[in-house]
Amino acid sequence: MKVFVVNCGSSSIKYQLFEMADESVLAKGLLERIGTSEAVLHHSAGGQRHDSPVEAPDHSAGLGLILEAVTDSRIGVLANLDEIDCVGHRVVHGGEHIHQSALIDEAIIAVVRANAELAPLHNPPNLAGITAAMSALPKIPHVAVFDTAFLADLPARAFRYALPKDWYSQYHVRRYGFHGTSHQCVTLRAAELLGASTEKVNLITVHLGNGCSMTAVAGGKAVDHSMGLTPLEGLVMGTRCGDIDPAVVFYMARRAGLSLEDLDRILNKESGLLGVSGVSNDMRDCLTAADDGNADAALAVELFVYRIVKYIGAYFTVLPGCDAVVLTGGIGENSLPIRRRICQGLRRLGAVADEERNKIIVGGKTGPITTDDSPLPVWVIPTDEELMIARETQAVVEK
Ligand code: ADP
């Protein structure tokens, strides 16, 4: 079975074409800067990478270009589009009633649309991708794989906020969580690597990319998670503030005359590493600036690590045990200085860092960055959300 996986962001489309017989990737790529004059398609197949400037005014045009690349006689891997059996779509927010992946029909499209208010940066482009792919590939099944699904069974004590009851019953204000596909992916892989059954493994999984989130996993199931009603809560992120006193919002509205739209934008897009450092939302830039003596950048990095360590401490206490802390995402998989600092922060919980391992386990490698006898192992496990989506898609279609 050949599964085409689509992951649409506001100005980008990531894609991978899988042969599920051996889970090999036949082609993959990224179309970025959709809607600008600098749109560029990075397409890889057969060990070769092709980068070409393209005209992609919207997601529909963009997807057309991607499908052309996949079937191109020179850089493609398929004779024609009929070889694709089904399409898996990453959807960020599935709301309260979606506990698993689902075949896309009118009802599922309505769910994605209805939850756009809760994930304004993600659900609208996800929907644009679904619409474009369904019209380009109308004869095959399309499956929605929801980022919220792995987190949909959190206990009430973890998903409810201490707010008036009718805010929950009437307005569905609760913790939903995000990055579920990534947390699920590394949970399954960690169980395998630690030689534990998935039903028995206890973990703290930490996804550190542009968005950052943490999940407490007990017996293979998510029991707490750091992101909330929206992806704004929890850890410090590239541009999102993570936890703040909610009173900051009304204080700044009154004090600085900021509108709700201003506050929404500032907390989501102008805070986090970018807001504190004034340099960049990118961890590499912040680390470089900090090394060059920029005190704001150094503070941004310190805040970032401190929040992570504090959350791990909290999750450690609510879990029945912790077989490992698992780091993933662009920063978790690659950033030596951040991983070193996290391990240092976890010393009292029993993490014994192994600097040699920290240096070696980068760029897609998997392994522990603590010593073999470290009471608390810290592992780096690259996430593969696309493969998870492909597996889920295959499972739904075969059912
Ligand atoms: P997204 O959440 O958009 O998928 P990624 O998971 O790619 O993002 O993570 C992006 C973050 O990873 C950025 O802050 C970037 O600086 C960081 N990152 C990526 N590669 C490295 C690296 N080699 N060293 C340090 N940080 C890195």
Side-chain angles (χ1 to χ4, degrees), residues 21-40:
D22 58 359
E23 293 189 338
S24 59
V25 178
L26 302 177
K28 67 175 185 178
L30 166 69
L31 171 60
E32 50 181 355
R33 306 206 184 109
I34 294 173
T36 76
S37 57
E38 287 155 15
V40 51

PDB file of all heavy atoms in Angstrom, residues 21-40:
ATOM      1  N   ALA A  21       4.681  -1.636   2.734  1.00  0.00           N
ATOM      2  CA  ALA A  21       5.172  -3.020   2.833  1.00  0.00           C
ATOM      3  C   ALA A  21       6.438  -3.066   3.689  1.00  0.00           C
ATOM      4  O   ALA A  21       6.598  -3.950   4.523  1.00  0.00           O
ATOM      5  CB  ALA A  21       5.432  -3.584   1.443  1.00  0.00           C
ATOM      6  N   ASP A  22       7.333  -2.091   3.497  1.00  0.00           N
ATOM      7  CA  ASP A  22       8.547  -2.048   4.314  1.00  0.00           C
ATOM      8  C   ASP A  22       8.725  -0.688   4.998  1.00  0.00           C
ATOM      9  O   ASP A  22       9.794  -0.384   5.513  1.00  0.00           O
ATOM     10  CB  ASP A  22       9.781  -2.376   3.454  1.00  0.00           C
ATOM     11  CG  ASP A  22       9.934  -1.418   2.290  1.00  0.00           C
ATOM     12  OD1 ASP A  22       9.064  -0.520   2.139  1.00  0.00           O
ATOM     13  OD2 ASP A  22      10.914  -1.540   1.531  1.00  0.00           O
ATOM     14  N   GLU A  23       7.666   0.086   4.993  1.00  0.00           N
ATOM     15  CA  GLU A  23       7.656   1.432   5.595  1.00  0.00           C
ATOM     16  C   GLU A  23       8.774   2.311   5.038  1.00  0.00           C
ATOM     17  O   GLU A  23       9.304   3.186   5.723  1.00  0.00           O
ATOM     18  CB  GLU A  23       7.724   1.355   7.123  1.00  0.00           C
ATOM     19  CG  GLU A  23       6.473   0.731   7.720  1.00  0.00           C
ATOM     20  CD  GLU A  23       6.379   0.831   9.227  1.00  0.00           C
ATOM     21  OE1 GLU A  23       7.419   1.006   9.881  1.00  0.00           O
ATOM     22  OE2 GLU A  23       5.254   0.736   9.751  1.00  0.00           O
ATOM     23  N   SER A  24       9.133   2.095   3.782  1.00  0.00           N
ATOM     24  CA  SER A  24      10.176   2.936   3.194  1.00  0.00           C
ATOM     25  C   SER A  24       9.556   4.235   2.672  1.00  0.00           C
ATOM     26  O   SER A  24       8.377   4.284   2.303  1.00  0.00           O
ATOM     27  CB  SER A  24      10.886   2.190   2.063  1.00  0.00           C
ATOM     28  OG  SER A  24       9.946   1.827   1.073  1.00  0.00           O
ATOM     29  N   VAL A  25      10.388   5.272   2.655  1.00  0.00           N
ATOM     30  CA  VAL A  25       9.949   6.572   2.141  1.00  0.00           C
ATOM     31  C   VAL A  25      10.370   6.652   0.671  1.00  0.00           C
ATOM     32  O   VAL A  25      11.562   6.660   0.358  1.00  0.00           O
ATOM     33  CB  VAL A  25      10.594   7.721   2.951  1.00  0.00           C
ATOM     34  CG1 VAL A  25      10.184   9.073   2.381  1.00  0.00           C
ATOM     35  CG2 VAL A  25      10.210   7.616   4.414  1.00  0.00           C
ATOM     36  N   LEU A  26       9.402   6.709  -0.229  1.00  0.00           N
ATOM     37  CA  LEU A  26       9.717   6.758  -1.660  1.00  0.00           C
ATOM     38  C   LEU A  26      10.099   8.175  -2.090  1.00  0.00           C
ATOM     39  O   LEU A  26      10.955   8.365  -2.935  1.00  0.00           O
ATOM     40  CB  LEU A  26       8.510   6.287  -2.482  1.00  0.00           C
ATOM     41  CG  LEU A  26       8.006   4.866  -2.172  1.00  0.00           C
ATOM     42  CD1 LEU A  26       6.770   4.551  -2.986  1.00  0.00           C
ATOM     43  CD2 LEU A  26       9.105   3.841  -2.446  1.00  0.00           C
ATOM     44  N   ALA A  27       9.417   9.132  -1.488  1.00  0.00           N
ATOM     45  CA  ALA A  27       9.715  10.540  -1.807  1.00  0.00           C
ATOM     46  C   ALA A  27       9.253  11.387  -0.642  1.00  0.00           C
ATOM     47  O   ALA A  27       8.341  11.006   0.095  1.00  0.00           O
ATOM     48  CB  ALA A  27       8.974  10.957  -3.072  1.00  0.00           C
ATOM     49  N   LYS A  28       9.909  12.508  -0.475  1.00  0.00           N
ATOM     50  CA  LYS A  28       9.446  13.428   0.563  1.00  0.00           C
ATOM     51  C   LYS A  28       9.878  14.836   0.216  1.00  0.00           C
ATOM     52  O   LYS A  28      10.750  15.032  -0.644  1.00  0.00           O
ATOM     53  CB  LYS A  28       9.966  13.022   1.926  1.00  0.00           C
ATOM     54  CG  LYS A  28      11.456  13.151   2.118  1.00  0.00           C
ATOM     55  CD  LYS A  28      11.760  12.809   3.565  1.00  0.00           C
ATOM     56  CE  LYS A  28      13.217  13.020   3.876  1.00  0.00           C
ATOM     57  NZ  LYS A  28      13.528  12.755   5.270  1.00  0.00           N
ATOM     58  N   GLY A  29       9.275  15.789   0.880  1.00  0.00           N
ATOM     59  CA  GLY A  29       9.688  17.149   0.580  1.00  0.00           C
ATOM     60  C   GLY A  29       8.944  18.186   1.384  1.00  0.00           C
ATOM     61  O   GLY A  29       8.126  17.884   2.261  1.00  0.00           O
ATOM     62  N   LEU A  30       9.287  19.400   1.053  1.00  0.00           N
ATOM     63  CA  LEU A  30       8.709  20.555   1.732  1.00  0.00           C
ATOM     64  C   LEU A  30       8.539  21.662   0.708  1.00  0.00           C
ATOM     65  O   LEU A  30       9.484  22.020  -0.001  1.00  0.00           O
ATOM     66  CB  LEU A  30       9.670  21.026   2.839  1.00  0.00           C
ATOM     67  CG  LEU A  30       9.411  22.403   3.442  1.00  0.00           C
ATOM     68  CD1 LEU A  30       8.127  22.402   4.270  1.00  0.00           C
ATOM     69  CD2 LEU A  30      10.579  22.845   4.324  1.00  0.00           C
ATOM     70  N   LEU A  31       7.319  22.155   0.631  1.00  0.00           N
ATOM     71  CA  LEU A  31       7.069  23.361  -0.165  1.00  0.00           C
ATOM     72  C   LEU A  31       6.913  24.485   0.839  1.00  0.00           C
ATOM     73  O   LEU A  31       6.047  24.423   1.714  1.00  0.00           O
ATOM     74  CB  LEU A  31       5.796  23.192  -1.002  1.00  0.00           C
ATOM     75  CG  LEU A  31       5.291  24.431  -1.729  1.00  0.00           C
ATOM     76  CD1 LEU A  31       6.326  24.961  -2.704  1.00  0.00           C
ATOM     77  CD2 LEU A  31       4.002  24.134  -2.459  1.00  0.00           C
ATOM     78  N   GLU A  32       7.776  25.487   0.745  1.00  0.00           N
ATOM     79  CA  GLU A  32       7.672  26.569   1.726  1.00  0.00           C
ATOM     80  C   GLU A  32       7.438  27.921   1.077  1.00  0.00           C
ATOM     81  O   GLU A  32       7.585  28.075  -0.114  1.00  0.00           O
ATOM     82  CB  GLU A  32       8.867  26.592   2.680  1.00  0.00           C
ATOM     83  CG  GLU A  32      10.204  26.543   2.045  1.00  0.00           C
ATOM     84  CD  GLU A  32      11.341  26.551   3.075  1.00  0.00           C
ATOM     85  OE1 GLU A  32      11.099  26.688   4.278  1.00  0.00           O
ATOM     86  OE2 GLU A  32      12.487  26.434   2.637  1.00  0.00           O
ATOM     87  N   ARG A  33       7.040  28.852   1.923  1.00  0.00           N
ATOM     88  CA  ARG A  33       6.742  30.230   1.509  1.00  0.00           C
ATOM     89  C   ARG A  33       5.621  30.294   0.477  1.00  0.00           C
ATOM     90  O   ARG A  33       5.673  31.070  -0.473  1.00  0.00           O
ATOM     91  CB  ARG A  33       8.004  30.922   0.991  1.00  0.00           C
ATOM     92  CG  ARG A  33       9.127  30.856   2.007  1.00  0.00           C
ATOM     93  CD  ARG A  33      10.112  31.985   1.845  1.00  0.00           C
ATOM     94  NE  ARG A  33      11.197  31.795   2.774  1.00  0.00           N
ATOM     95  CZ  ARG A  33      12.444  31.444   2.437  1.00  0.00           C
ATOM     96  NH1 ARG A  33      12.759  31.267   1.167  1.00  0.00           N
ATOM     97  NH2 ARG A  33      13.362  31.296   3.339  1.00  0.00           N
ATOM     98  N   ILE A  34       4.601  29.446   0.678  1.00  0.00           N
ATOM     99  CA  ILE A  34       3.409  29.491  -0.175  1.00  0.00           C
ATOM    100  C   ILE A  34       2.788  30.885  -0.041  1.00  0.00           C
ATOM    101  O   ILE A  34       2.748  31.458   1.048  1.00  0.00           O
ATOM    102  CB  ILE A  34       2.384  28.419   0.288  1.00  0.00           C
ATOM    103  CG1 ILE A  34       2.959  27.021   0.061  1.00  0.00           C
ATOM    104  CG2 ILE A  34       1.050  28.567  -0.423  1.00  0.00           C
ATOM    105  CD1 ILE A  34       2.103  25.897   0.635  1.00  0.00           C
ATOM    106  N   GLY A  35       2.316  31.428  -1.166  1.00  0.00           N
ATOM    107  CA  GLY A  35       1.654  32.730  -1.131  1.00  0.00           C
ATOM    108  C   GLY A  35       2.626  33.892  -1.236  1.00  0.00           C
ATOM    109  O   GLY A  35       2.213  35.046  -1.160  1.00  0.00           O
ATOM    110  N   THR A  36       3.920  33.597  -1.401  1.00  0.00           N
ATOM    111  CA  THR A  36       4.891  34.679  -1.596  1.00  0.00           C
ATOM    112  C   THR A  36       5.592  34.476  -2.941  1.00  0.00           C
ATOM    113  O   THR A  36       5.457  33.422  -3.567  1.00  0.00           O
ATOM    114  CB  THR A  36       5.985  34.701  -0.491  1.00  0.00           C
ATOM    115  OG1 THR A  36       6.911  33.632  -0.746  1.00  0.00           O
ATOM    116  CG2 THR A  36       5.388  34.536   0.895  1.00  0.00           C
ATOM    117  N   SER A  37       6.390  35.454  -3.330  1.00  0.00           N
ATOM    118  CA  SER A  37       7.115  35.329  -4.604  1.00  0.00           C
ATOM    119  C   SER A  37       8.366  34.468  -4.428  1.00  0.00           C
ATOM    120  O   SER A  37       9.099  34.240  -5.376  1.00  0.00           O
ATOM    121  CB  SER A  37       7.499  36.719  -5.111  1.00  0.00           C
ATOM    122  OG  SER A  37       8.266  37.352  -4.104  1.00  0.00           O
ATOM    123  N   GLU A  38       8.605  34.027  -3.191  1.00  0.00           N
ATOM    124  CA  GLU A  38       9.809  33.223  -2.934  1.00  0.00           C
ATOM    125  C   GLU A  38       9.501  31.763  -2.636  1.00  0.00           C
ATOM    126  O   GLU A  38      10.290  31.069  -1.983  1.00  0.00           O
ATOM    127  CB  GLU A  38      10.574  33.815  -1.751  1.00  0.00           C
ATOM    128  CG  GLU A  38      11.275  35.104  -2.093  1.00  0.00           C
ATOM    129  CD  GLU A  38      11.507  35.977  -0.878  1.00  0.00           C
ATOM    130  OE1 GLU A  38      11.384  35.485   0.258  1.00  0.00           O
ATOM    131  OE2 GLU A  38      11.780  37.162  -1.079  1.00  0.00           O
ATOM    132  N   ALA A  39       8.344  31.294  -3.118  1.00  0.00           N
ATOM    133  CA  ALA A  39       7.977  29.898  -2.851  1.00  0.00           C
ATOM    134  C   ALA A  39       9.038  28.975  -3.434  1.00  0.00           C
ATOM    135  O   ALA A  39       9.553  29.200  -4.533  1.00  0.00           O
ATOM    136  CB  ALA A  39       6.618  29.592  -3.450  1.00  0.00           C
ATOM    137  N   VAL A  40       9.384  27.935  -2.651  1.00  0.00           N
ATOM    138  CA  VAL A  40      10.405  27.013  -3.131  1.00  0.00           C
ATOM    139  C   VAL A  40      10.025  25.590  -2.741  1.00  0.00           C
ATOM    140  O   VAL A  40       9.495  25.349  -1.650  1.00  0.00           O
ATOM    141  CB  VAL A  40      11.819  27.432  -2.623  1.00  0.00           C
ATOM    142  CG1 VAL A  40      11.818  27.648  -1.131  1.00  0.00           C
ATOM    143  CG2 VAL A  40      12.886  26.428  -2.990  1.00  0.00           C
TER     144      VAL A  40
END
